[in-house]
Coordinates of all heavy atoms in Angstrom, one line a residue:
M1 N 18.6 -27.3 -5.9 CA 18.9 -28.1 -7.1 C 18.6 -27.2 -8.4 O 17.5 -26.6 -8.5 CB 18.0 -29.3 -7.1 CG 18.2 -30.2 -8.3 SD 17.3 -31.8 -8.1 CE 15.8 -31.4 -8.9
S2 N 19.5 -27.2 -9.3 CA 19.3 -26.4 -10.5 C 18.5 -27.3 -11.5 O 18.6 -28.5 -11.5 CB 20.6 -25.9 -11.1 OG 21.3 -27.0 -11.6
Q3 N 17.9 -26.6 -12.4 CA 17.1 -27.3 -13.5 C 17.6 -26.7 -14.8 O 18.4 -25.8 -14.8 CB 15.6 -26.9 -13.3 CG 15.0 -27.4 -12.0 CD 13.6 -27.0 -11.9 OE1 13.0 -26.4 -12.8 NE2 12.9 -27.4 -10.9
V4 N 17.1 -27.3 -15.9 CA 17.5 -26.8 -17.2 C 16.2 -26.2 -17.8 O 15.2 -26.8 -17.8 CB 18.0 -28.0 -18.1 CG1 18.2 -27.5 -19.5 CG2 19.3 -28.6 -17.5
E5 N 16.4 -25.0 -18.4 CA 15.3 -24.3 -19.0 C 15.5 -24.4 -20.5 O 16.6 -24.2 -21.0 CB 15.3 -22.9 -18.6 CG 14.3 -22.1 -19.3 CD 14.4 -20.6 -19.1 OE1 15.5 -20.0 -19.3 OE2 13.4 -20.0 -18.6
I6 N 14.5 -24.7 -21.3 CA 14.6 -24.7 -22.7 C 13.6 -23.6 -23.2 O 12.4 -23.7 -23.1 CB 14.2 -26.1 -23.3 CG1 15.1 -27.2 -22.8 CG2 14.2 -26.0 -24.8 CD1 14.8 -28.6 -23.2
E7 N 14.2 -22.6 -23.8 CA 13.4 -21.4 -24.3 C 12.8 -21.8 -25.6 O 13.4 -22.4 -26.5 CB 14.4 -20.2 -24.6 CG 14.9 -19.6 -23.4 CD 14.0 -18.6 -22.7 OE1 13.0 -18.2 -23.3 OE2 14.3 -18.2 -21.6
R8 N 11.5 -21.6 -25.7 CA 10.7 -21.8 -26.9 C 9.9 -20.6 -27.2 O 9.2 -20.1 -26.3 CB 9.9 -23.1 -26.8 CG 10.7 -24.3 -26.8 CD 9.8 -25.6 -26.9 NE 10.6 -26.8 -27.0 CZ 10.9 -27.6 -25.9 NH1 10.4 -27.3 -24.8 NH2 11.6 -28.6 -26.1
K9 N 9.9 -20.1 -28.4 CA 9.0 -19.0 -28.8 C 8.3 -19.4 -30.1 O 8.8 -20.0 -30.9 CB 9.9 -17.8 -29.0 CG 10.6 -17.3 -27.8 CD 11.5 -16.2 -28.1 CE 12.3 -15.8 -26.8 NZ 13.2 -14.7 -26.9
Y10 N 7.0 -18.9 -30.1 CA 6.2 -19.2 -31.2 C 5.5 -18.0 -31.7 O 5.2 -17.1 -31.0 CB 5.1 -20.2 -30.8 CG 5.6 -21.5 -30.2 CD1 5.8 -21.7 -28.9 CD2 5.9 -22.6 -31.1 CE1 6.3 -22.8 -28.3 CE2 6.5 -23.7 -30.5 CZ 6.7 -23.9 -29.2 OH 7.2 -25.0 -28.7
V11 N 5.2 -17.9 -33.0 CA 4.4 -16.9 -33.6 C 3.1 -17.5 -34.0 O 3.0 -18.4 -34.8 CB 5.1 -16.3 -34.9 CG1 4.3 -15.2 -35.5 CG2 6.5 -15.7 -34.5
L12 N 2.0 -16.9 -33.4 CA 0.7 -17.4 -33.7 C 0.1 -16.6 -34.8 O 0.3 -15.4 -35.0 CB -0.2 -17.2 -32.4 CG 0.3 -17.9 -31.2 CD1 -0.7 -17.5 -30.0 CD2 0.3 -19.4 -31.3
E13 N -0.7 -17.3 -35.6 CA -1.4 -16.7 -36.7 C -2.6 -15.9 -36.1 O -3.1 -14.9 -36.7 CB -1.9 -17.7 -37.7 CG -0.7 -18.3 -38.5 CD -1.2 -19.3 -39.5 OE1 -2.4 -19.4 -39.8 OE2 -0.3 -20.1 -40.0
A14 N -3.2 -16.4 -35.0 CA -4.3 -15.8 -34.4 C -4.4 -16.2 -32.9 O -3.8 -17.2 -32.6 CB -5.6 -16.2 -35.1
L15 N -5.1 -15.4 -32.1 CA -5.2 -15.8 -30.7 C -6.2 -17.0 -30.6 O -7.1 -17.1 -31.4 CB -5.8 -14.6 -29.9 CG -4.9 -13.4 -29.8 CD1 -5.6 -12.3 -29.1 CD2 -3.7 -13.8 -28.9
P16 N -5.9 -17.9 -29.7 CA -6.8 -19.0 -29.5 C -8.2 -18.6 -29.1 O -8.4 -17.6 -28.4 CB -6.1 -19.8 -28.3 CG -4.8 -19.3 -28.2 CD -4.8 -17.9 -28.7
T17 N -9.2 -19.4 -29.5 CA -10.6 -19.1 -29.2 C -10.7 -19.3 -27.7 O -10.2 -20.2 -27.1 CB -11.5 -20.2 -29.9 OG1 -11.2 -20.1 -31.3 CG2 -12.9 -19.9 -29.6
G18 N -11.5 -18.3 -27.1 CA -11.8 -18.4 -25.7 C -10.7 -17.8 -24.8 O -10.8 -17.9 -23.5
W19 N -9.7 -17.2 -25.3 CA -8.6 -16.7 -24.5 C -9.0 -15.7 -23.5 O -8.5 -15.5 -22.4 CB -7.4 -16.2 -25.3 CG -7.7 -14.9 -26.1 CD1 -8.3 -14.8 -27.3 CD2 -7.6 -13.6 -25.6 NE1 -8.4 -13.5 -27.6 CE2 -8.0 -12.7 -26.6 CE3 -7.1 -13.0 -24.4 CZ2 -8.0 -11.3 -26.4 CZ3 -7.1 -11.7 -24.2 CH2 -7.5 -10.8 -25.2
E20 N -10.1 -14.9 -23.8 CA -10.6 -13.9 -22.9 C -11.1 -14.4 -21.6 O -11.1 -13.7 -20.6 CB -11.7 -13.1 -23.6 CG -11.4 -12.4 -24.9 CD -11.8 -13.3 -26.1 OE1 -11.9 -14.5 -26.0 OE2 -12.0 -12.7 -27.2
Q21 N -11.5 -15.7 -21.5 CA -12.1 -16.3 -20.3 C -11.0 -16.9 -19.4 O -11.3 -17.3 -18.3 CB -13.1 -17.4 -20.7 CG -14.5 -16.8 -21.1 CD -14.4 -16.3 -22.6 OE1 -13.8 -16.9 -23.4 NE2 -15.0 -15.2 -22.9
L22 N -9.8 -17.0 -19.9 CA -8.7 -17.6 -19.1 C -8.3 -16.7 -17.9 O -8.4 -15.5 -18.0 CB -7.5 -17.9 -20.0 CG -7.7 -18.8 -21.1 CD1 -6.4 -18.9 -22.0 CD2 -8.0 -20.2 -20.6
E23 N -8.0 -17.4 -16.8 CA -7.5 -16.6 -15.7 C -6.1 -16.1 -16.0 O -5.3 -16.7 -16.7 CB -7.4 -17.5 -14.5 CG -8.8 -18.0 -13.9 CD -8.7 -18.8 -12.7 OE1 -7.7 -18.5 -11.9 OE2 -9.5 -19.6 -12.5
C24 N -5.8 -14.9 -15.4 CA -4.5 -14.4 -15.6 C -3.9 -13.9 -14.3 O -4.6 -13.8 -13.3 CB -4.5 -13.2 -16.6 SG -5.4 -11.8 -16.0
E25 N -2.6 -13.8 -14.2 CA -1.9 -13.4 -13.0 C -0.9 -12.4 -13.3 O -0.1 -12.6 -14.3 CB -1.3 -14.7 -12.4 CG -0.6 -14.5 -11.1 CD 0.0 -15.7 -10.5 OE1 0.6 -16.5 -11.3 OE2 -0.2 -16.0 -9.3
E26 N -0.9 -11.3 -12.6 CA 0.1 -10.2 -12.9 C 1.4 -10.6 -12.3 O 1.5 -11.2 -11.2 CB -0.4 -8.9 -12.2 CG 0.4 -7.7 -12.6 CD -0.2 -6.4 -12.2 OE1 -1.4 -6.3 -12.2 OE2 0.6 -5.5 -11.8
I27 N 2.5 -10.4 -13.0 CA 3.8 -10.7 -12.6 C 4.6 -9.4 -12.6 O 4.6 -8.6 -13.5 CB 4.5 -11.7 -13.6 CG1 3.7 -13.0 -13.6 CG2 5.9 -11.9 -13.3 CD1 4.2 -14.0 -14.6
A28 N 5.4 -9.2 -11.5 CA 6.3 -8.1 -11.4 C 7.7 -8.8 -11.5 O 8.0 -9.7 -10.7 CB 6.2 -7.3 -10.1
Q29 N 8.5 -8.3 -12.5 CA 9.8 -8.9 -12.7 C 10.9 -7.9 -13.0 O 10.6 -6.9 -13.7 CB 9.7 -9.9 -13.9 CG 11.1 -10.5 -14.3 CD 10.9 -11.6 -15.3 OE1 10.4 -12.6 -15.1 NE2 11.3 -11.3 -16.6
G30 N 12.0 -8.0 -12.4 CA 13.1 -7.1 -12.6 C 14.4 -7.8 -12.5 O 14.6 -8.8 -11.8
Y31 N 15.4 -7.3 -13.3 CA 16.7 -7.9 -13.3 C 17.7 -7.1 -12.4 O 17.7 -5.9 -12.5 CB 17.2 -7.9 -14.8 CG 16.4 -8.9 -15.6 CD1 15.2 -8.5 -16.2 CD2 16.8 -10.2 -15.7 CE1 14.5 -9.4 -16.9 CE2 16.1 -11.1 -16.5 CZ 14.9 -10.7 -17.1 OH 14.2 -11.6 -17.8
I32 N 18.4 -7.8 -11.6 CA 19.4 -7.2 -10.7 C 20.7 -7.0 -11.5 O 21.4 -6.0 -11.4 CB 19.6 -8.1 -9.5 CG1 18.4 -8.1 -8.6 CG2 20.9 -7.6 -8.7 CD1 18.4 -9.0 -7.4
G33 N 21.1 -8.0 -12.3 CA 22.3 -7.8 -13.1 C 22.7 -9.0 -13.9 O 22.0 -10.1 -13.9
F34 N 23.7 -8.9 -14.7 CA 24.3 -9.9 -15.5 C 25.8 -9.9 -15.3 O 26.4 -8.9 -15.2 CB 24.0 -9.6 -17.0 CG 22.5 -9.3 -17.3 CD1 22.0 -8.1 -17.1 CD2 21.7 -10.3 -17.7 CE1 20.6 -7.8 -17.4 CE2 20.3 -10.1 -17.9 CZ 19.8 -8.9 -17.8
T35 N 26.4 -11.1 -15.4 CA 27.8 -11.3 -15.2 C 28.5 -11.5 -16.6 O 27.8 -11.9 -17.5 CB 28.2 -12.4 -14.3 OG1 27.9 -13.7 -14.9 CG2 27.4 -12.3 -12.9
D36 N 29.8 -11.4 -16.6 CA 30.5 -11.7 -17.8 C 30.5 -13.2 -18.2 O 30.7 -13.5 -19.3 CB 32.0 -11.2 -17.7 CG 32.1 -9.7 -17.6 OD1 31.2 -9.0 -18.0 OD2 33.1 -9.2 -17.0
E37 N 30.2 -14.0 -17.2 CA 30.1 -15.4 -17.4 C 28.7 -15.9 -17.9 O 28.5 -17.1 -18.0 CB 30.5 -16.2 -16.1 CG 31.9 -16.0 -15.6 CD 32.1 -14.7 -14.9 OE1 31.2 -14.2 -14.3 OE2 33.3 -14.2 -15.0
G38 N 27.9 -15.0 -18.2 CA 26.6 -15.3 -18.7 C 25.5 -15.7 -17.7 O 24.6 -16.4 -18.0
V39 N 25.7 -15.2 -16.5 CA 24.7 -15.4 -15.4 C 23.8 -14.2 -15.3 O 24.3 -13.1 -15.2 CB 25.4 -15.7 -14.0 CG1 24.3 -15.9 -12.9 CG2 26.2 -17.0 -14.1
E40 N 22.5 -14.4 -15.3 CA 21.5 -13.4 -15.1 C 20.8 -13.6 -13.8 O 20.5 -14.7 -13.4 CB 20.6 -13.2 -16.3 CG 19.3 -13.9 -16.2 CD 18.4 -13.8 -17.4 OE1 19.0 -13.6 -18.5 OE2 17.2 -14.0 -17.3
I41 N 20.6 -12.5 -13.0 CA 19.9 -12.6 -11.7 C 18.7 -11.7 -11.8 O 18.8 -10.5 -12.1 CB 20.9 -12.1 -10.6 CG1 22.2 -12.9 -10.6 CG2 20.2 -12.2 -9.3 CD1 23.3 -12.3 -9.8
R42 N 17.6 -12.3 -11.5 CA 16.3 -11.6 -11.5 C 15.5 -11.9 -10.2 O 15.7 -12.9 -9.6 CB 15.5 -11.8 -12.7 CG 14.8 -13.2 -12.7 CD 13.7 -13.3 -13.8 NE 13.0 -14.5 -13.6 CZ 12.8 -15.4 -14.5 NH1 13.2 -15.2 -15.7 NH2 12.2 -16.5 -14.2
V43 N 14.5 -11.0 -9.9 CA 13.6 -11.3 -8.9 C 12.2 -11.1 -9.5 O 12.0 -10.4 -10.5 CB 13.7 -10.3 -7.7 CG1 15.0 -10.6 -6.9 CG2 13.6 -8.9 -8.1
R44 N 11.2 -11.9 -9.0 CA 9.9 -11.9 -9.6 C 8.9 -12.1 -8.5 O 9.1 -12.9 -7.5 CB 9.8 -13.1 -10.5 CG 8.4 -13.3 -11.1 CD 8.4 -14.5 -12.0 NE 9.0 -14.3 -13.3 CZ 9.1 -15.2 -14.2 NH1 8.8 -16.4 -14.0 NH2 9.7 -14.9 -15.4
Q45 N 7.7 -11.4 -8.6 CA 6.6 -11.6 -7.8 C 5.4 -12.1 -8.6 O 5.1 -11.6 -9.7 CB 6.2 -10.3 -7.1 CG 4.9 -10.4 -6.3 CD 4.4 -9.1 -5.8 OE1 4.9 -8.0 -6.1 NE2 3.3 -9.1 -5.1
R46 N 4.9 -13.2 -8.2 CA 3.7 -13.8 -8.8 C 2.6 -14.0 -7.8 O 2.7 -14.9 -6.9 CB 4.0 -15.2 -9.5 CG 4.9 -15.1 -10.6 CD 5.1 -16.5 -11.2 NE 3.9 -16.8 -11.9 CZ 3.8 -17.9 -12.7 NH1 4.8 -18.7 -12.9 NH2 2.7 -18.2 -13.3
G47 N 1.6 -13.0 -7.8 CA 0.6 -13.1 -6.7 C 1.3 -12.8 -5.4 O 2.0 -11.8 -5.2
D48 N 1.1 -13.7 -4.4 CA 1.8 -13.6 -3.1 C 3.0 -14.5 -3.0 O 3.4 -14.8 -1.9 CB 0.8 -13.9 -2.0 CG 0.2 -15.3 -2.0 OD1 0.6 -16.0 -3.0 OD2 -0.5 -15.7 -1.1
R49 N 3.6 -14.8 -4.1 CA 4.8 -15.6 -4.1 C 6.0 -14.8 -4.7 O 5.8 -14.1 -5.6 CB 4.6 -16.9 -4.9 CG 3.5 -17.8 -4.3 CD 3.3 -19.1 -5.1 NE 3.2 -18.9 -6.6 CZ 2.1 -18.6 -7.2 NH1 1.0 -18.4 -6.6 NH2 2.1 -18.5 -8.6
Y50 N 7.2 -15.0 -4.1 CA 8.4 -14.2 -4.5 C 9.5 -15.2 -4.7 O 9.7 -16.1 -4.0 CB 8.7 -13.3 -3.3 CG 7.5 -12.4 -2.9 CD1 6.6 -12.8 -1.9 CD2 7.3 -11.2 -3.5 CE1 5.6 -12.0 -1.6 CE2 6.2 -10.4 -3.2 CZ 5.4 -10.8 -2.2 OH 4.3 -10.0 -1.8
Y51 N 10.3 -14.8 -5.8 CA 11.4 -15.7 -6.2 C 12.7 -14.9 -6.6 O 12.5 -13.7 -7.1 CB 11.1 -16.5 -7.4 CG 9.8 -17.3 -7.2 CD1 8.6 -16.9 -7.6 CD2 9.9 -18.6 -6.6 CE1 7.4 -17.6 -7.5 CE2 8.7 -19.3 -6.4 CZ 7.5 -18.8 -6.9 OH 6.4 -19.6 -6.7
Q52 N 13.8 -15.5 -6.4 CA 15.0 -15.0 -7.0 C 15.5 -16.1 -8.0 O 15.5 -17.3 -7.6 CB 16.1 -14.7 -6.0 CG 17.4 -14.3 -6.6 CD 18.5 -14.0 -5.6 OE1 18.5 -14.6 -4.5 NE2 19.5 -13.3 -5.9
T53 N 15.8 -15.7 -9.2 CA 16.2 -16.7 -10.2 C 17.6 -16.4 -10.7 O 17.9 -15.2 -11.0 CB 15.2 -16.8 -11.3 OG1 13.9 -17.0 -10.8 CG2 15.5 -17.8 -12.3
L54 N 18.4 -17.4 -10.8 CA 19.7 -17.3 -11.5 C 19.7 -18.2 -12.7 O 19.3 -19.3 -12.6 CB 20.8 -17.7 -10.5 CG 21.0 -16.9 -9.3 CD1 20.2 -17.4 -8.2 CD2 22.5 -16.8 -8.9
K55 N 20.1 -17.6 -13.8 CA 20.2 -18.4 -15.1 C 21.6 -18.2 -15.6 O 22.2 -17.2 -15.6 CB 19.2 -17.8 -16.1 CG 17.7 -18.0 -15.7 CD 16.9 -17.6 -16.9 CE 15.4 -17.8 -16.5 NZ 14.5 -17.5 -17.6
Q56 N 22.1 -19.3 -16.2 CA 23.4 -19.3 -16.8 C 23.3 -19.9 -18.2 O 22.7 -21.0 -18.4 CB 24.4 -20.1 -15.9 CG 25.8 -20.1 -16.5 CD 26.7 -20.9 -15.6 OE1 26.4 -21.9 -15.1 NE2 28.0 -20.4 -15.5
G57 N 24.0 -19.3 -19.1 CA 24.0 -19.8 -20.5 C 23.5 -18.7 -21.5 O 22.8 -17.8 -21.0
S58 N 23.7 -18.9 -22.7 CA 23.3 -17.9 -23.7 C 22.5 -18.6 -24.9 O 22.1 -17.9 -25.8 CB 24.4 -17.1 -24.2 OG 25.4 -18.0 -24.8
S59 N 22.4 -19.9 -24.8 CA 21.7 -20.6 -25.9 C 20.2 -20.8 -25.5 O 19.7 -20.3 -24.5 CB 22.3 -21.9 -26.2 OG 22.3 -22.8 -25.1
R60 N 19.5 -21.6 -26.3 CA 18.1 -21.9 -25.9 C 18.0 -22.8 -24.7 O 17.0 -22.8 -24.0 CB 17.4 -22.7 -27.1 CG 17.0 -21.7 -28.2 CD 16.2 -22.4 -29.2 NE 16.0 -23.9 -29.0 CZ 15.3 -24.6 -29.7 NH1 14.7 -24.2 -30.8 NH2 15.2 -25.9 -29.5
V61 N 19.1 -23.6 -24.4 CA 19.1 -24.4 -23.2 C 20.0 -23.8 -22.2 O 21.2 -23.6 -22.4 CB 19.6 -25.9 -23.6 CG1 19.6 -26.7 -22.3 CG2 18.7 -26.4 -24.6
R62 N 19.4 -23.5 -21.0 CA 20.2 -22.8 -20.0 C 20.0 -23.4 -18.6 O 18.9 -24.0 -18.4 CB 19.8 -21.3 -19.9 CG 19.9 -20.6 -21.2 CD 19.8 -19.1 -21.1 NE 18.5 -18.7 -20.6 CZ 18.2 -17.4 -20.2 NH1 19.1 -16.5 -20.4 NH2 17.0 -17.1 -19.8
K63 N 21.0 -23.3 -17.7 CA 20.8 -23.8 -16.3 C 20.0 -22.7 -15.6 O 20.1 -21.5 -15.9 CB 22.1 -24.0 -15.6 CG 22.9 -25.1 -16.1 CD 24.2 -25.2 -15.3 CE 25.1 -26.3 -15.8 NZ 26.4 -26.3 -15.0
E64 N 19.1 -23.2 -14.7 CA 18.3 -22.2 -14.0 C 18.1 -22.7 -12.5 O 17.9 -23.9 -12.3 CB 16.9 -22.2 -14.6 CG 15.9 -21.2 -13.9 CD 14.6 -21.1 -14.6 OE1 14.5 -20.6 -15.7 OE2 13.6 -21.6 -14.0
L65 N 18.2 -21.8 -11.6 CA 18.0 -22.0 -10.2 C 17.1 -21.0 -9.7 O 17.3 -19.8 -9.8 CB 19.4 -22.0 -9.4 CG 19.3 -22.1 -7.9 CD1 18.8 -23.5 -7.5 CD2 20.7 -21.9 -7.3
E66 N 15.9 -21.5 -9.1 CA 14.9 -20.6 -8.6 C 14.8 -20.8 -7.1 O 14.6 -21.9 -6.6 CB 13.6 -20.9 -9.3 CG 12.5 -19.8 -8.9 CD 11.3 -20.0 -9.8 OE1 10.5 -20.9 -9.5 OE2 11.1 -19.2 -10.8
L67 N 15.0 -19.7 -6.4 CA 14.9 -19.7 -4.9 C 13.8 -18.9 -4.4 O 13.5 -17.8 -4.8 CB 16.2 -19.1 -4.4 CG 17.5 -19.8 -4.9 CD1 18.7 -18.9 -4.5 CD2 17.7 -21.2 -4.3
P68 N 13.0 -19.5 -3.4 CA 11.9 -18.7 -2.9 C 12.4 -17.6 -2.0 O 13.5 -17.7 -1.3 CB 11.1 -19.7 -2.0 CG 12.1 -20.8 -1.8 CD 13.1 -20.8 -2.9
L69 N 11.7 -16.5 -2.0 CA 12.0 -15.3 -1.2 C 10.8 -15.0 -0.3 O 9.7 -15.2 -0.7 CB 12.4 -14.1 -2.0 CG 13.6 -14.1 -2.9 CD1 13.6 -12.8 -3.8 CD2 14.8 -14.2 -2.1
S70 N 11.1 -14.3 0.8 CA 10.0 -13.8 1.6 C 9.6 -12.4 1.0 O 10.4 -11.9 0.2 CB 10.5 -13.6 3.1 OG 11.4 -12.5 3.1
E71 N 8.5 -11.9 1.4 CA 8.1 -10.6 0.9 C 9.1 -9.5 1.3 O 9.4 -8.6 0.5 CB 6.7 -10.2 1.4 CG 6.2 -8.9 0.8 CD 4.7 -8.6 1.3 OE1 4.2 -9.4 2.1 OE2 4.2 -7.6 0.9
A72 N 9.6 -9.6 2.5 CA 10.6 -8.6 3.0 C 11.9 -8.7 2.1 O 12.5 -7.7 1.8 CB 10.9 -8.9 4.4
Q73 N 12.3 -9.9 1.8 CA 13.5 -10.1 1.0 C 13.3 -9.5 -0.4 O 14.2 -8.8 -0.9 CB 13.9 -11.5 0.9 CG 14.5 -12.1 2.2 CD 14.6 -13.6 2.1 OE1 13.8 -14.3 1.6 NE2 15.7 -14.1 2.7
F74 N 12.2 -9.8 -1.0 CA 11.8 -9.3 -2.3 C 11.8 -7.7 -2.3 O 12.4 -7.1 -3.1 CB 10.5 -9.8 -2.8 CG 10.0 -9.2 -4.1 CD1 10.5 -9.8 -5.3 CD2 9.2 -8.1 -4.1 CE1 10.1 -9.2 -6.5 CE2 8.8 -7.6 -5.3 CZ 9.2 -8.2 -6.5
S75 N 11.2 -7.2 -1.2 CA 11.1 -5.7 -1.1 C 12.5 -5.1 -1.0 O 12.7 -3.9 -1.5 CB 10.3 -5.3 0.1 OG 8.9 -5.8 -0.1
Q76 N 13.4 -5.7 -0.4 CA 14.8 -5.2 -0.3 C 15.5 -5.3 -1.6 O 16.3 -4.4 -1.9 CB 15.6 -6.0 0.8 CG 15.3 -5.7 2.2 CD 16.1 -6.5 3.1 OE1 16.2 -7.7 3.1 NE2 16.8 -5.7 4.0
L77 N 15.3 -6.3 -2.4 CA 16.0 -6.5 -3.7 C 15.3 -5.7 -4.8 O 16.0 -5.3 -5.8 CB 16.0 -7.9 -4.1 CG 16.9 -8.8 -3.2 CD1 16.6 -10.3 -3.5 CD2 18.3 -8.5 -3.3
W78 N 14.0 -5.4 -4.7 CA 13.3 -4.8 -5.8 C 13.9 -3.4 -6.3 O 14.0 -3.2 -7.5 CB 11.8 -4.6 -5.4 CG 10.9 -4.1 -6.6 CD1 10.3 -2.9 -6.6 CD2 10.7 -4.8 -7.8 NE1 9.6 -2.8 -7.8 CE2 9.8 -3.9 -8.5 CE3 11.0 -6.0 -8.4 CZ2 9.3 -4.3 -9.8 CZ3 10.6 -6.3 -9.6 CH2 9.7 -5.5 -10.3
P79 N 14.3 -2.5 -5.4 CA 14.9 -1.3 -5.8 C 16.1 -1.5 -6.7 O 16.4 -0.6 -7.5 CB 15.2 -0.5 -4.5 CG 14.3 -1.1 -3.5 CD 14.1 -2.6 -3.9
W80 N 16.8 -2.6 -6.6 CA 18.0 -2.8 -7.4 C 17.7 -3.0 -8.8 O 18.6 -3.0 -9.7 CB 18.8 -4.0 -6.8 CG 19.4 -3.9 -5.4 CD1 19.1 -2.9 -4.5 CD2 20.3 -4.8 -4.8 NE1 19.8 -3.1 -3.4 CE2 20.5 -4.3 -3.5 CE3 20.9 -5.9 -5.2 CZ2 21.4 -4.9 -2.6 CZ3 21.8 -6.5 -4.3 CH2 22.0 -6.0 -3.1
T81 N 16.4 -3.3 -9.1 CA 16.0 -3.5 -10.5 C 15.6 -2.3 -11.2 O 15.1 -2.4 -12.4 CB 14.9 -4.6 -10.5 OG1 13.7 -4.0 -10.0 CG2 15.3 -5.9 -9.8
E82 N 15.6 -1.2 -10.6 CA 15.2 0.1 -11.2 C 15.8 0.3 -12.6 O 17.0 0.1 -12.8 CB 15.6 1.3 -10.3 CG 15.1 2.6 -10.8 CD 13.6 2.8 -10.6 OE1 13.1 2.3 -9.6 OE2 12.9 3.3 -11.5
G83 N 15.0 0.5 -13.6 CA 15.4 0.7 -15.0 C 15.6 -0.7 -15.7 O 16.0 -0.6 -16.9
K84 N 15.4 -1.8 -15.0 CA 15.6 -3.1 -15.7 C 14.4 -4.0 -15.4 O 14.5 -5.2 -15.0 CB 16.9 -3.8 -15.2 CG 18.1 -2.9 -15.5 CD 19.4 -3.6 -14.9 CE 19.3 -3.4 -13.4 NZ 20.2 -2.8 -12.6
R85 N 13.2 -3.4 -15.5 CA 12.0 -4.2 -15.2 C 11.2 -4.5 -16.4 O 11.3 -3.8 -17.4 CB 11.1 -3.4 -14.2 CG 11.8 -3.2 -12.9 CD 10.9 -2.4 -11.9 NE 11.7 -2.2 -10.7 CZ 11.5 -1.2 -9.9 NH1 10.5 -0.4 -10.0 NH2 12.2 -1.1 -8.8

């Protein structure tokens, strides 16, 4: 099932108080490619979770489909993102 993503970006005057104590998670993300129809294909690793994401559209509101991947599937696709990480 696809979802709709709404891009929002903000410029902060200062970092929030206490941000140093927040938990963080490293993300590995790379793009496989883009089509002439405005579809972008990327893969992402967040901790021990792996995803392939397809996005369509060029405005702030875009269609998005996120599919879970196994670690082996991610490892096969990751080299395709060389130079686009």
Side-chain angles (χ1 to χ4, degrees):
M1 180 170 92
S2 70
Q3 300 177 358
V4 174
E5 172 189 58
I6 301 174
E7 292 275 348
R8 293 190 173 97
K9 297 178 184 179
Y10 303 92
V11 176
L12 301 177
E13 292 180 12
L15 292 173
T17 303
W19 70 269
E20 302 96 335
Q21 286 77 39
L22 297 174
E23 290 184 32
C24 65
E25 182 176 47
E26 190 169 323
I27 296 173
Q29 175 175 288
Y31 291 85
I32 293 174
F34 305 87
T35 70
D36 293 337
E37 294 79 26
V39 176
E40 96 185 22
I41 304 166
R42 76 165 186 232
V43 292
R44 178 184 279 175
Q45 175 187 1
R46 292 182 72 169
D48 62 354
R49 299 179 314 274
Y50 306 89
Y51 305 95
Q52 178 181 20
T53 304
L54 294 92
K55 293 185 179 188
Q56 182 180 37
S58 59
S59 65
R60 283 187 358 178
V61 179
R62 305 189 299 172
K63 290 182 184 178
E64 180 178 293
L65 176 62
E66 189 169 77
L67 305 167
L69 295 174
S70 68
E71 183 177 3
Q73 290 169 319
F74 177 85
S75 295
Q76 285 183 303
L77 293 170
W78 187 245
W80 295 13
T81 68
E82 185 72 38
K84 299 175 289 238
R85 298 180 183 160

